[in-house]
Amino acid sequence: MAEAPRKVQVLVVGSGAGGAVTALELARAGLDVCVLEQGSRWKLDEYGRGSLEAMRHLYRRKGMTPILGRVPLGYVEGMCVGGSTEINSGFWHRTPREVLLRWKAQFDVDGATPDELEAHFEWAEDLLGVSTYAGPLPKSSGVFKRGIEAMGWAAQEVPRAAPACKSTNACAAGCPTGSKQGMSRRILPEAEAAGARLLTDCAVQLLLRQGQRVTGVLAVVRRPDGTRELVRIDAEHVFVCAGPTETPALLRRSRIKRHVGDSLRIHPMLKVAAVFPERIDAQDSVLPLLQVKEFWPDISLGGAFFTPGHLAMGLSDNWLENREQMSRYRNMASYYVAVRGSGRGSVRPSLLGDGAPSLRYELSDEDVIHLSKGLARLSTLLLAAGATQVHPTVQGLPSIRSEVEAVRWLDERLPRSGLSLTTVHAFSSCPLGERHDRCALDSFGKVRGFENLHVNDASMLPDSPGVNPQGSVMALARRNAVHFQESLR
Ligand SMILES: Cc1cc2nc3c(=O)[nH]c(=O)nc-3n(C[C@H](O)[C@H](O)[C@H](O)COP(=O)(O)OP(=O)(O)OC[C@H]3O[C@@H](n4cnc5c(N)ncnc54)[C@H](O)[C@@H]3O)c2cc1C
C-alpha cells in the first residue's frame, strides 16, 4: 500500500467511472495526480466469488443501503478500486439526444450537445471495447427477443463494456475473466502508467477550505494490520468523484451546501421472475442483453441478474404462494421495468453511527404510473414469449398468468404499499448547469463559489438520463477534464 503524499497538484476522490477518467486524462496531460479510494484493490482471482463474499469486498455497506421514503428502495453501489463499474453489467448507452436537449432547457448546460459529446463517447467506447455480444444469444435473451418480436416493439441488443464476455454470470461479483472493462482493468492502469498514484483504503472525511479555495483533505487511511491513521493531504485542485451519494455527503460535511444533495434522482426498478415451459438456465449465462426502447426514455424493459438466491428474494414478497416455484428455477429468468424517475430525493450526511448518509426519495405519481404500465407491458411481452407465469415483486400480487391480467395495469395503479423496489442507478445530487437557482456546479463541474473544487461523477448529471448512466458519466467527466486542462493553459 502506497504512503499518503503530503502535497499533490490534483487530488481525485474516488476511483469509479468519474474518478478514473479524471485521473487518466489529467495524468496524461502531465499533471501530478493522486487518487484516493475508500475501498480496496482486489485481484482478478478474488473476483467472481459467492454473493456474500463479493458484497463484503466490493460493495458499500455490504450491499445494504436503504433509500427511505413512503416506498423504501434497496440501493447498492461499489466501494472498491473501480467503484460501481466493478459490479455493474457493463451496459453502455450514449445520453439520448432528447435528454441532452432537456438538460439545456431545464438547467442551461453549456457544451453538452450530441456533437460536443461525440468525441468523448468515442474515446471511452474505444478504451472499453464497447460492443455487442460475440456469441449466440443465451436463452434468457432469446426468449425475451421472442416476446419483443411478438409485440413488434422497438428494441436493441445493448452494447456492453465487456468485449470478450465469457457469459459466466458473474458481473455483480466482479468479472473473474477480466472481460468486463471495469475501471480497474484499463482506465486506472493507464492512469497509473501515466504517473497517477492510487492510494486505496483511504476514506476522505473532510475538504479543508480557505476562502474560495480548497486547500486539501483530511482522510482516514486503513492499514493492512487494521489500524487507522488520520492524514492531511494538501492539493492545488480537488476533484470529488465519490459517487452520487458520497460526493454530496462529503461536500455537505465540509459545509458546502448550495444545491448540494437536494435533488437526488434514481431509476426506480421493479423486477419480475418469469416461468417458461422450457429450460432457460439463466443462472449459467450472462443476463438478458436486450432492452425494449419503445417506451423510452420514461420506461425501459430489460433483463436482470439471476441466481437462485436472487430469485428467492424476488419471490419472497409472496413467499407462501410462490415458494414452490423455487424448484423450477432452471425454467426461470428475471426481467425488470425501470422508469426515468421524476420523484425527488435528497442526501444528508449522518452525524451518528457509521457515517452512512441518509438517502431519501419520494416516488412521484408519474413514477407509479410508469411502473404500473411498465409491468403491464413487460408481463404481456413475457407471456407472448411463452411464459406461463410472471411473478412481480409486489406484495399481494402473487402472479400474472394471462395477457388480460397483465394489461389491467395499463389503466390501474399498483399499490404503493406493496411495491418492493430497488435501484442501482443514482445521480443528480449536485447538478451542473448555468441555472444558479438549481445547479451546484457550473456547466463543466466546477463547484459554484470555489476556484479549485470540482465534482466529476454521477452526481453532476443534471437530471435522470433514462438510460444506463455509466456512458453519460464517463463522457461528461472526460469533457470536464479536458476543459479543466485547457483552463490551466
Ligand atoms: C449493480 C450495479 C449495476 C449497474 N449496471 C450498470 C450498467 O450496466 N450500465 C451502466 O451504465 N451503469 C450501471 N450501473 C451504474 C454505474 O456503475 C454508475 O452510474 C457509475 O459507476 C457511477 O460512477 P461514479 O464515478 O459516480 O461512482 P462510482 O463508480 O460508484 O465510484 C465512486 C467511488 O468513490 C469511492 N468513494 C466514495 N466515498 C469516498 C471517500 N469519502 N473517500 C474516498 N473514496 C470514496 C467509492 O468507494 C467508489 O469506488 C450499475 C451500478 C450498480 C451498482
Side-chain angles (χ1 to χ4, degrees), residues 13-14 16-18 36-38 60 76 78-80 83-85 87-91 202-204 241-243 246 424-425 457-458 468-470:
V13 181
L36 306 180
E37 168 55 53
Q38 180 173 12
R60 181 168 300 281
V76 295
M79 194 183 92
C80 55
S84 301
T85 69
I87 54 170
N88 76 15
S89 314
F91 285 119
C202 175
V204 174
C241 309
E246 295 297 320
V424 292
H425 296 168
D457 61 15
N468 304 65
Q470 184 185 334

PDB file of all heavy atoms in Angstrom, residues 13-14 16-18 36-38 60 76 78-80 83-85 87-91 202-204 241-243 246 424-425 457-458 468-470, ligand 1:
ATOM      1  N   VAL A  13     -10.903  12.245  -5.577  1.00  0.00           N
ATOM      2  CA  VAL A  13     -11.504  11.438  -4.507  1.00  0.00           C
ATOM      3  C   VAL A  13     -12.450  10.430  -5.158  1.00  0.00           C
ATOM      4  O   VAL A  13     -13.489  10.801  -5.698  1.00  0.00           O
ATOM      5  CB  VAL A  13     -12.280  12.326  -3.514  1.00  0.00           C
ATOM      6  CG1 VAL A  13     -12.872  11.470  -2.396  1.00  0.00           C
ATOM      7  CG2 VAL A  13     -11.396  13.424  -2.970  1.00  0.00           C
ATOM      8  N   GLY A  14     -12.084   9.144  -5.143  1.00  0.00           N
ATOM      9  CA  GLY A  14     -12.925   8.099  -5.744  1.00  0.00           C
ATOM     10  C   GLY A  14     -12.350   7.631  -7.066  1.00  0.00           C
ATOM     11  O   GLY A  14     -11.859   8.428  -7.865  1.00  0.00           O
ATOM     12  N   GLY A  16     -14.077   5.437  -9.326  1.00  0.00           N
ATOM     13  CA  GLY A  16     -15.095   4.827 -10.185  1.00  0.00           C
ATOM     14  C   GLY A  16     -15.110   5.461 -11.561  1.00  0.00           C
ATOM     15  O   GLY A  16     -14.089   5.977 -12.039  1.00  0.00           O
ATOM     16  N   ALA A  17     -16.286   5.414 -12.210  1.00  0.00           N
ATOM     17  CA  ALA A  17     -16.392   5.873 -13.589  1.00  0.00           C
ATOM     18  C   ALA A  17     -15.886   7.309 -13.754  1.00  0.00           C
ATOM     19  O   ALA A  17     -15.132   7.621 -14.685  1.00  0.00           O
ATOM     20  CB  ALA A  17     -17.846   5.775 -14.044  1.00  0.00           C
ATOM     21  N   GLY A  18     -16.297   8.198 -12.852  1.00  0.00           N
ATOM     22  CA  GLY A  18     -15.888   9.601 -12.966  1.00  0.00           C
ATOM     23  C   GLY A  18     -14.439   9.807 -12.557  1.00  0.00           C
ATOM     24  O   GLY A  18     -13.664  10.472 -13.273  1.00  0.00           O
ATOM     25  N   LEU A  36      -7.541   9.024  -4.325  1.00  0.00           N
ATOM     26  CA  LEU A  36      -7.787   8.439  -3.002  1.00  0.00           C
ATOM     27  C   LEU A  36      -9.050   7.596  -3.088  1.00  0.00           C
ATOM     28  O   LEU A  36     -10.108   8.110  -3.472  1.00  0.00           O
ATOM     29  CB  LEU A  36      -7.981   9.546  -1.961  1.00  0.00           C
ATOM     30  CG  LEU A  36      -6.863  10.591  -1.885  1.00  0.00           C
ATOM     31  CD1 LEU A  36      -7.187  11.633  -0.814  1.00  0.00           C
ATOM     32  CD2 LEU A  36      -5.511   9.941  -1.598  1.00  0.00           C
ATOM     33  N   GLU A  37      -8.945   6.323  -2.770  1.00  0.00           N
ATOM     34  CA  GLU A  37     -10.098   5.414  -2.883  1.00  0.00           C
ATOM     35  C   GLU A  37     -10.372   4.772  -1.529  1.00  0.00           C
ATOM     36  O   GLU A  37      -9.481   4.165  -0.931  1.00  0.00           O
ATOM     37  CB  GLU A  37      -9.822   4.353  -3.965  1.00  0.00           C
ATOM     38  CG  GLU A  37     -10.795   3.185  -3.990  1.00  0.00           C
ATOM     39  CD  GLU A  37     -12.269   3.569  -4.111  1.00  0.00           C
ATOM     40  OE1 GLU A  37     -12.611   4.322  -5.034  1.00  0.00           O
ATOM     41  OE2 GLU A  37     -13.063   3.116  -3.266  1.00  0.00           O
ATOM     42  N   GLN A  38     -11.618   4.855  -1.107  1.00  0.00           N
ATOM     43  CA  GLN A  38     -12.001   4.302   0.196  1.00  0.00           C
ATOM     44  C   GLN A  38     -11.917   2.779   0.228  1.00  0.00           C
ATOM     45  O   GLN A  38     -11.549   2.178   1.232  1.00  0.00           O
ATOM     46  CB  GLN A  38     -13.436   4.740   0.519  1.00  0.00           C
ATOM     47  CG  GLN A  38     -13.941   4.236   1.852  1.00  0.00           C
ATOM     48  CD  GLN A  38     -15.293   4.818   2.207  1.00  0.00           C
ATOM     49  OE1 GLN A  38     -15.952   5.433   1.365  1.00  0.00           O
ATOM     50  NE2 GLN A  38     -15.689   4.644   3.449  1.00  0.00           N
ATOM     51  N   ARG A  60     -20.495  -1.100  -0.999  1.00  0.00           N
ATOM     52  CA  ARG A  60     -20.618  -0.224   0.164  1.00  0.00           C
ATOM     53  C   ARG A  60     -21.615  -0.838   1.155  1.00  0.00           C
ATOM     54  O   ARG A  60     -22.662  -1.319   0.761  1.00  0.00           O
ATOM     55  CB  ARG A  60     -21.101   1.165  -0.277  1.00  0.00           C
ATOM     56  CG  ARG A  60     -21.246   2.169   0.866  1.00  0.00           C
ATOM     57  CD  ARG A  60     -21.432   3.577   0.354  1.00  0.00           C
ATOM     58  NE  ARG A  60     -20.304   4.014  -0.447  1.00  0.00           N
ATOM     59  CZ  ARG A  60     -19.130   4.439   0.045  1.00  0.00           C
ATOM     60  NH1 ARG A  60     -18.946   4.499   1.344  1.00  0.00           N
ATOM     61  NH2 ARG A  60     -18.150   4.793  -0.759  1.00  0.00           N
ATOM     62  N   VAL A  76     -27.697  -0.292  -4.106  1.00  0.00           N
ATOM     63  CA  VAL A  76     -26.306  -0.725  -3.901  1.00  0.00           C
ATOM     64  C   VAL A  76     -25.373   0.116  -4.752  1.00  0.00           C
ATOM     65  O   VAL A  76     -25.760   0.617  -5.811  1.00  0.00           O
ATOM     66  CB  VAL A  76     -26.070  -2.217  -4.264  1.00  0.00           C
ATOM     67  CG1 VAL A  76     -26.839  -3.132  -3.337  1.00  0.00           C
ATOM     68  CG2 VAL A  76     -26.394  -2.515  -5.708  1.00  0.00           C
ATOM     69  N   GLY A  78     -20.774   0.433  -5.573  1.00  0.00           N
ATOM     70  CA  GLY A  78     -19.479  -0.193  -5.358  1.00  0.00           C
ATOM     71  C   GLY A  78     -18.623   0.580  -4.369  1.00  0.00           C
ATOM     72  O   GLY A  78     -18.728   1.806  -4.264  1.00  0.00           O
ATOM     73  N   MET A  79     -17.777  -0.143  -3.640  1.00  0.00           N
ATOM     74  CA  MET A  79     -16.767   0.502  -2.797  1.00  0.00           C
ATOM     75  C   MET A  79     -15.489  -0.337  -2.900  1.00  0.00           C
ATOM     76  O   MET A  79     -15.232  -1.227  -2.097  1.00  0.00           O
ATOM     77  CB  MET A  79     -17.228   0.600  -1.345  1.00  0.00           C
ATOM     78  CG  MET A  79     -16.369   1.559  -0.513  1.00  0.00           C
ATOM     79  SD  MET A  79     -16.862   1.590   1.205  1.00  0.00           S
ATOM     80  CE  MET A  79     -15.775   0.326   1.842  1.00  0.00           C
ATOM     81  N   CYS A  80     -14.734  -0.055  -3.932  1.00  0.00           N
ATOM     82  CA  CYS A  80     -13.507  -0.800  -4.205  1.00  0.00           C
ATOM     83  C   CYS A  80     -12.796  -0.027  -5.309  1.00  0.00           C
ATOM     84  O   CYS A  80     -13.369   0.922  -5.854  1.00  0.00           O
ATOM     85  CB  CYS A  80     -13.833  -2.214  -4.702  1.00  0.00           C
ATOM     86  SG  CYS A  80     -14.915  -2.235  -6.143  1.00  0.00           S
ATOM     87  N   GLY A  83     -14.850   1.339  -8.227  1.00  0.00           N
ATOM     88  CA  GLY A  83     -16.200   1.730  -7.812  1.00  0.00           C
ATOM     89  C   GLY A  83     -17.279   0.829  -8.407  1.00  0.00           C
ATOM     90  O   GLY A  83     -17.080  -0.377  -8.597  1.00  0.00           O
ATOM     91  N   SER A  84     -18.412   1.392  -8.726  1.00  0.00           N
ATOM     92  CA  SER A  84     -19.565   0.597  -9.173  1.00  0.00           C
ATOM     93  C   SER A  84     -19.321  -0.056 -10.530  1.00  0.00           C
ATOM     94  O   SER A  84     -20.031  -0.999 -10.885  1.00  0.00           O
ATOM     95  CB  SER A  84     -20.817   1.477  -9.247  1.00  0.00           C
ATOM     96  OG  SER A  84     -21.085   2.034  -7.991  1.00  0.00           O
ATOM     97  N   THR A  85     -18.325   0.402 -11.269  1.00  0.00           N
ATOM     98  CA  THR A  85     -18.075  -0.227 -12.582  1.00  0.00           C
ATOM     99  C   THR A  85     -17.558  -1.658 -12.425  1.00  0.00           C
ATOM    100  O   THR A  85     -17.601  -2.441 -13.357  1.00  0.00           O
ATOM    101  CB  THR A  85     -17.061   0.570 -13.427  1.00  0.00           C
ATOM    102  OG1 THR A  85     -15.765   0.473 -12.835  1.00  0.00           O
ATOM    103  CG2 THR A  85     -17.458   2.033 -13.553  1.00  0.00           C
ATOM    104  N   ILE A  87     -18.898  -3.851 -10.395  1.00  0.00           N
ATOM    105  CA  ILE A  87     -20.016  -4.758 -10.091  1.00  0.00           C
ATOM    106  C   ILE A  87     -21.193  -4.534 -11.023  1.00  0.00           C
ATOM    107  O   ILE A  87     -22.250  -5.127 -10.859  1.00  0.00           O
ATOM    108  CB  ILE A  87     -20.484  -4.584  -8.627  1.00  0.00           C
ATOM    109  CG1 ILE A  87     -20.823  -3.108  -8.335  1.00  0.00           C
ATOM    110  CG2 ILE A  87     -19.435  -5.109  -7.666  1.00  0.00           C
ATOM    111  CD1 ILE A  87     -21.518  -2.905  -6.991  1.00  0.00           C
ATOM    112  N   ASN A  88     -21.024  -3.634 -11.998  1.00  0.00           N
ATOM    113  CA  ASN A  88     -22.173  -3.382 -12.874  1.00  0.00           C
ATOM    114  C   ASN A  88     -22.169  -4.358 -14.048  1.00  0.00           C
ATOM    115  O   ASN A  88     -21.305  -5.229 -14.160  1.00  0.00           O
ATOM    116  CB  ASN A  88     -22.235  -1.896 -13.280  1.00  0.00           C
ATOM    117  CG  ASN A  88     -21.237  -1.480 -14.338  1.00  0.00           C
ATOM    118  OD1 ASN A  88     -20.643  -2.308 -15.015  1.00  0.00           O
ATOM    119  ND2 ASN A  88     -21.052  -0.184 -14.477  1.00  0.00           N
ATOM    120  N   SER A  89     -23.171  -4.218 -14.915  1.00  0.00           N
ATOM    121  CA  SER A  89     -23.341  -5.186 -16.003  1.00  0.00           C
ATOM    122  C   SER A  89     -22.659  -4.725 -17.282  1.00  0.00           C
ATOM    123  O   SER A  89     -22.696  -5.437 -18.290  1.00  0.00           O
ATOM    124  CB  SER A  89     -24.826  -5.414 -16.278  1.00  0.00           C
ATOM    125  OG  SER A  89     -25.508  -5.595 -15.070  1.00  0.00           O
ATOM    126  N   GLY A  90     -22.122  -3.520 -17.260  1.00  0.00           N
ATOM    127  CA  GLY A  90     -21.375  -3.025 -18.418  1.00  0.00           C
ATOM    128  C   GLY A  90     -22.248  -2.544 -19.565  1.00  0.00           C
ATOM    129  O   GLY A  90     -21.728  -2.239 -20.642  1.00  0.00           O
ATOM    130  N   PHE A  91     -23.565  -2.432 -19.376  1.00  0.00           N
ATOM    131  CA  PHE A  91     -24.428  -1.930 -20.459  1.00  0.00           C
ATOM    132  C   PHE A  91     -24.039  -0.489 -20.780  1.00  0.00           C
ATOM    133  O   PHE A  91     -23.796   0.302 -19.865  1.00  0.00           O
ATOM    134  CB  PHE A  91     -25.903  -1.980 -20.054  1.00  0.00           C
ATOM    135  CG  PHE A  91     -26.467  -3.365 -20.072  1.00  0.00           C
ATOM    136  CD1 PHE A  91     -26.960  -3.938 -18.914  1.00  0.00           C
ATOM    137  CD2 PHE A  91     -26.505  -4.103 -21.242  1.00  0.00           C
ATOM    138  CE1 PHE A  91     -27.480  -5.226 -18.920  1.00  0.00           C
ATOM    139  CE2 PHE A  91     -27.029  -5.392 -21.267  1.00  0.00           C
ATOM    140  CZ  PHE A  91     -27.510  -5.953 -20.100  1.00  0.00           C
ATOM    141  N   CYS A 202      -8.494   4.479   1.735  1.00  0.00           N
ATOM    142  CA  CYS A 202      -8.301   5.851   2.198  1.00  0.00           C
ATOM    143  C   CYS A 202      -9.621   6.610   2.028  1.00  0.00           C
ATOM    144  O   CYS A 202     -10.019   6.926   0.905  1.00  0.00           O
ATOM    145  CB  CYS A 202      -7.182   6.486   1.354  1.00  0.00           C
ATOM    146  SG  CYS A 202      -6.952   8.225   1.719  1.00  0.00           S
ATOM    147  N   ALA A 203     -10.302   6.844   3.132  1.00  0.00           N
ATOM    148  CA  ALA A 203     -11.635   7.476   3.091  1.00  0.00           C
ATOM    149  C   ALA A 203     -11.513   8.962   3.413  1.00  0.00           C
ATOM    150  O   ALA A 203     -11.122   9.330   4.531  1.00  0.00           O
ATOM    151  CB  ALA A 203     -12.551   6.798   4.090  1.00  0.00           C
ATOM    152  N   VAL A 204     -11.834   9.787   2.467  1.00  0.00           N
ATOM    153  CA  VAL A 204     -11.764  11.233   2.698  1.00  0.00           C
ATOM    154  C   VAL A 204     -12.929  11.644   3.590  1.00  0.00           C
ATOM    155  O   VAL A 204     -14.086  11.321   3.316  1.00  0.00           O
ATOM    156  CB  VAL A 204     -11.784  11.998   1.355  1.00  0.00           C
ATOM    157  CG1 VAL A 204     -11.858  13.500   1.597  1.00  0.00           C
ATOM    158  CG2 VAL A 204     -10.556  11.636   0.527  1.00  0.00           C
ATOM    159  N   CYS A 241     -15.100  12.736  -6.784  1.00  0.00           N
ATOM    160  CA  CYS A 241     -15.736  11.746  -7.674  1.00  0.00           C
ATOM    161  C   CYS A 241     -16.120  10.537  -6.825  1.00  0.00           C
ATOM    162  O   CYS A 241     -15.828   9.394  -7.162  1.00  0.00           O
ATOM    163  CB  CYS A 241     -14.762  11.308  -8.772  1.00  0.00           C
ATOM    164  SG  CYS A 241     -13.993  12.663  -9.667  1.00  0.00           S
ATOM    165  N   ALA A 242     -16.755  10.808  -5.695  1.00  0.00           N
ATOM    166  CA  ALA A 242     -17.048   9.751  -4.721  1.00  0.00           C
ATOM    167  C   ALA A 242     -18.411   9.113  -4.967  1.00  0.00           C
ATOM    168  O   ALA A 242     -18.886   8.330  -4.148  1.00  0.00           O
ATOM    169  CB  ALA A 242     -16.949  10.321  -3.306  1.00  0.00           C
ATOM    170  N   GLY A 243     -19.033   9.442  -6.085  1.00  0.00           N
ATOM    171  CA  GLY A 243     -20.302   8.815  -6.443  1.00  0.00           C
ATOM    172  C   GLY A 243     -21.496   9.652  -5.998  1.00  0.00           C
ATOM    173  O   GLY A 243     -21.361  10.626  -5.252  1.00  0.00           O
ATOM    174  N   GLU A 246     -22.054   9.658  -1.895  1.00  0.00           N
ATOM    175  CA  GLU A 246     -20.953  10.066  -1.010  1.00  0.00           C
ATOM    176  C   GLU A 246     -20.407  11.454  -1.379  1.00  0.00           C
ATOM    177  O   GLU A 246     -19.934  12.178  -0.507  1.00  0.00           O
ATOM    178  CB  GLU A 246     -19.830   9.029  -1.045  1.00  0.00           C
ATOM    179  CG  GLU A 246     -20.230   7.673  -0.488  1.00  0.00           C
ATOM    180  CD  GLU A 246     -20.614   7.706   0.990  1.00  0.00           C
ATOM    181  OE1 GLU A 246     -19.950   8.417   1.767  1.00  0.00           O
ATOM    182  OE2 GLU A 246     -21.581   7.027   1.355  1.00  0.00           O
ATOM    183  N   VAL A 424     -30.075   0.625  -8.955  1.00  0.00           N
ATOM    184  CA  VAL A 424     -28.604   0.642  -8.975  1.00  0.00           C
ATOM    185  C   VAL A 424     -28.137   1.894  -9.712  1.00  0.00           C
ATOM    186  O   VAL A 424     -26.951   2.054  -9.955  1.00  0.00           O
ATOM    187  CB  VAL A 424     -28.019  -0.634  -9.636  1.00  0.00           C
ATOM    188  CG1 VAL A 424     -28.291  -1.846  -8.782  1.00  0.00           C
ATOM    189  CG2 VAL A 424     -28.558  -0.857 -11.047  1.00  0.00           C
ATOM    190  N   HIS A 425     -29.072   2.756 -10.083  1.00  0.00           N
ATOM    191  CA  HIS A 425     -28.744   3.980 -10.830  1.00  0.00           C
ATOM    192  C   HIS A 425     -29.152   5.202 -10.015  1.00  0.00           C
ATOM    193  O   HIS A 425     -30.340   5.459  -9.838  1.00  0.00           O
ATOM    194  CB  HIS A 425     -29.497   4.022 -12.162  1.00  0.00           C
ATOM    195  CG  HIS A 425     -29.126   2.925 -13.110  1.00  0.00           C
ATOM    196  ND1 HIS A 425     -29.857   2.646 -14.236  1.00  0.00           N
ATOM    197  CD2 HIS A 425     -28.082   2.064 -13.113  1.00  0.00           C
ATOM    198  CE1 HIS A 425     -29.290   1.639 -14.889  1.00  0.00           C
ATOM    199  NE2 HIS A 425     -28.208   1.259 -14.221  1.00  0.00           N
ATOM    200  N   ASP A 457     -18.576  13.175 -11.280  1.00  0.00           N
ATOM    201  CA  ASP A 457     -19.113  11.810 -11.208  1.00  0.00           C
ATOM    202  C   ASP A 457     -20.609  11.861 -11.469  1.00  0.00           C
ATOM    203  O   ASP A 457     -21.125  12.892 -11.925  1.00  0.00           O
ATOM    204  CB  ASP A 457     -18.779  11.180  -9.848  1.00  0.00           C
ATOM    205  CG  ASP A 457     -19.390  11.956  -8.687  1.00  0.00           C
ATOM    206  OD1 ASP A 457     -20.287  12.786  -8.917  1.00  0.00           O
ATOM    207  OD2 ASP A 457     -18.974  11.730  -7.546  1.00  0.00           O
ATOM    208  N   ALA A 458     -21.319  10.778 -11.135  1.00  0.00           N
ATOM    209  CA  ALA A 458     -22.751  10.712 -11.453  1.00  0.00           C
ATOM    210  C   ALA A 458     -23.563  11.814 -10.761  1.00  0.00           C
ATOM    211  O   ALA A 458     -24.663  12.133 -11.219  1.00  0.00           O
ATOM    212  CB  ALA A 458     -23.292   9.336 -11.050  1.00  0.00           C
ATOM    213  N   ASN A 468     -29.018   3.530 -18.905  1.00  0.00           N
ATOM    214  CA  ASN A 468     -27.911   3.191 -18.001  1.00  0.00           C
ATOM    215  C   ASN A 468     -26.887   4.342 -18.020  1.00  0.00           C
ATOM    216  O   ASN A 468     -26.490   4.796 -19.092  1.00  0.00           O
ATOM    217  CB  ASN A 468     -27.229   1.898 -18.438  1.00  0.00           C
ATOM    218  CG  ASN A 468     -28.199   0.742 -18.536  1.00  0.00           C
ATOM    219  OD1 ASN A 468     -29.087   0.763 -19.367  1.00  0.00           O
ATOM    220  ND2 ASN A 468     -28.061  -0.257 -17.707  1.00  0.00           N
ATOM    221  N   PRO A 469     -26.449   4.794 -16.854  1.00  0.00           N
ATOM    222  CA  PRO A 469     -25.752   6.087 -16.790  1.00  0.00           C
ATOM    223  C   PRO A 469     -24.234   6.111 -17.006  1.00  0.00           C
ATOM    224  O   PRO A 469     -23.650   7.181 -17.187  1.00  0.00           O
ATOM    225  CB  PRO A 469     -26.044   6.564 -15.371  1.00  0.00           C
ATOM    226  CG  PRO A 469     -26.271   5.314 -14.592  1.00  0.00           C
ATOM    227  CD  PRO A 469     -26.819   4.294 -15.529  1.00  0.00           C
ATOM    228  N   GLN A 470     -23.564   4.938 -16.990  1.00  0.00           N
ATOM    229  CA  GLN A 470     -22.094   4.993 -16.990  1.00  0.00           C
ATOM    230  C   GLN A 470     -21.532   5.759 -18.192  1.00  0.00           C
ATOM    231  O   GLN A 470     -20.569   6.514 -18.068  1.00  0.00           O
ATOM    232  CB  GLN A 470     -21.503   3.573 -16.967  1.00  0.00           C
ATOM    233  CG  GLN A 470     -19.978   3.590 -16.874  1.00  0.00           C
ATOM    234  CD  GLN A 470     -19.361   2.194 -16.966  1.00  0.00           C
ATOM    235  OE1 GLN A 470     -20.006   1.205 -16.630  1.00  0.00           O
ATOM    236  NE2 GLN A 470     -18.127   2.114 -17.406  1.00  0.00           N
TER     237      GLN A 470
HETATM  238  C1  LIG B   1     -25.021  -3.411  -9.512  1.00  0.00           C
HETATM  239  C2  LIG B   1     -24.896  -2.243 -10.468  1.00  0.00           C
HETATM  240  C3  LIG B   1     -25.172  -2.438 -11.821  1.00  0.00           C
HETATM  241  C4  LIG B   1     -25.066  -1.354 -12.708  1.00  0.00           C
HETATM  242  N1  LIG B   1     -25.208  -1.588 -14.052  1.00  0.00           N
HETATM  243  C5  LIG B   1     -24.918  -0.593 -14.931  1.00  0.00           C
HETATM  244  C6  LIG B   1     -24.842  -0.850 -16.317  1.00  0.00           C
HETATM  245  O1  LIG B   1     -24.975  -1.983 -16.766  1.00  0.00           O
HETATM  246  N2  LIG B   1     -24.596   0.198 -17.150  1.00  0.00           N
HETATM  247  C7  LIG B   1     -24.440   1.482 -16.669  1.00  0.00           C
HETATM  248  O2  LIG B   1     -24.296   2.402 -17.486  1.00  0.00           O
HETATM  249  N3  LIG B   1     -24.457   1.736 -15.349  1.00  0.00           N
HETATM  250  C8  LIG B   1     -24.653   0.740 -14.471  1.00  0.00           C
HETATM  251  N4  LIG B   1     -24.589   0.977 -13.135  1.00  0.00           N
HETATM  252  C9  LIG B   1     -24.335   2.362 -12.670  1.00  0.00           C
HETATM  253  C10 LIG B   1     -22.891   2.807 -12.899  1.00  0.00           C
HETATM  254  O3  LIG B   1     -21.995   1.807 -12.499  1.00  0.00           O
HETATM  255  C11 LIG B   1     -22.686   4.112 -12.116  1.00  0.00           C
HETATM  256  O4  LIG B   1     -23.612   5.073 -12.597  1.00  0.00           O
HETATM  257  C12 LIG B   1     -21.285   4.691 -12.234  1.00  0.00           C
HETATM  258  O5  LIG B   1     -20.300   3.757 -11.864  1.00  0.00           O
HETATM  259  C13 LIG B   1     -21.194   5.931 -11.339  1.00  0.00           C
HETATM  260  O6  LIG B   1     -19.885   6.437 -11.399  1.00  0.00           O
HETATM  261  P1  LIG B   1     -19.340   7.335 -10.213  1.00  0.00           P
HETATM  262  O7  LIG B   1     -17.951   7.709 -10.541  1.00  0.00           O
HETATM  263  O8  LIG B   1     -20.322   8.404  -9.931  1.00  0.00           O
HETATM  264  O9  LIG B   1     -19.387   6.410  -8.901  1.00  0.00           O
HETATM  265  P2  LIG B   1     -18.706   5.006  -8.614  1.00  0.00           P
HETATM  266  O10 LIG B   1     -18.378   4.309  -9.877  1.00  0.00           O
HETATM  267  O11 LIG B   1     -19.599   4.291  -7.667  1.00  0.00           O
HETATM  268  O12 LIG B   1     -17.332   5.370  -7.885  1.00  0.00           O
HETATM  269  C14 LIG B   1     -17.288   6.099  -6.678  1.00  0.00           C
HETATM  270  C15 LIG B   1     -16.041   5.661  -5.914  1.00  0.00           C
HETATM  271  O13 LIG B   1     -15.777   6.621  -4.901  1.00  0.00           O
HETATM  272  C16 LIG B   1     -15.335   5.936  -3.742  1.00  0.00           C
HETATM  273  N5  LIG B   1     -15.583   6.805  -2.570  1.00  0.00           N
HETATM  274  C17 LIG B   1     -16.784   7.151  -2.058  1.00  0.00           C
HETATM  275  N6  LIG B   1     -16.618   7.954  -0.988  1.00  0.00           N
HETATM  276  C18 LIG B   1     -15.284   8.101  -0.829  1.00  0.00           C
HETATM  277  C19 LIG B   1     -14.490   8.827   0.114  1.00  0.00           C
HETATM  278  N7  LIG B   1     -15.058   9.569   1.104  1.00  0.00           N
HETATM  279  N8  LIG B   1     -13.137   8.753   0.010  1.00  0.00           N
HETATM  280  C20 LIG B   1     -12.548   8.017  -0.982  1.00  0.00           C
HETATM  281  N9  LIG B   1     -13.272   7.307  -1.895  1.00  0.00           N
HETATM  282  C21 LIG B   1     -14.624   7.367  -1.828  1.00  0.00           C
HETATM  283  C22 LIG B   1     -16.188   4.685  -3.735  1.00  0.00           C
HETATM  284  O14 LIG B   1     -15.620   3.691  -2.893  1.00  0.00           O
HETATM  285  C23 LIG B   1     -16.209   4.323  -5.209  1.00  0.00           C
HETATM  286  O15 LIG B   1     -15.141   3.469  -5.540  1.00  0.00           O
HETATM  287  C24 LIG B   1     -24.714  -0.060 -12.216  1.00  0.00           C
HETATM  288  C25 LIG B   1     -24.445   0.123 -10.869  1.00  0.00           C
HETATM  289  C26 LIG B   1     -24.527  -0.954  -9.991  1.00  0.00           C
HETATM  290  C27 LIG B   1     -24.219  -0.730  -8.530  1.00  0.00           C
END
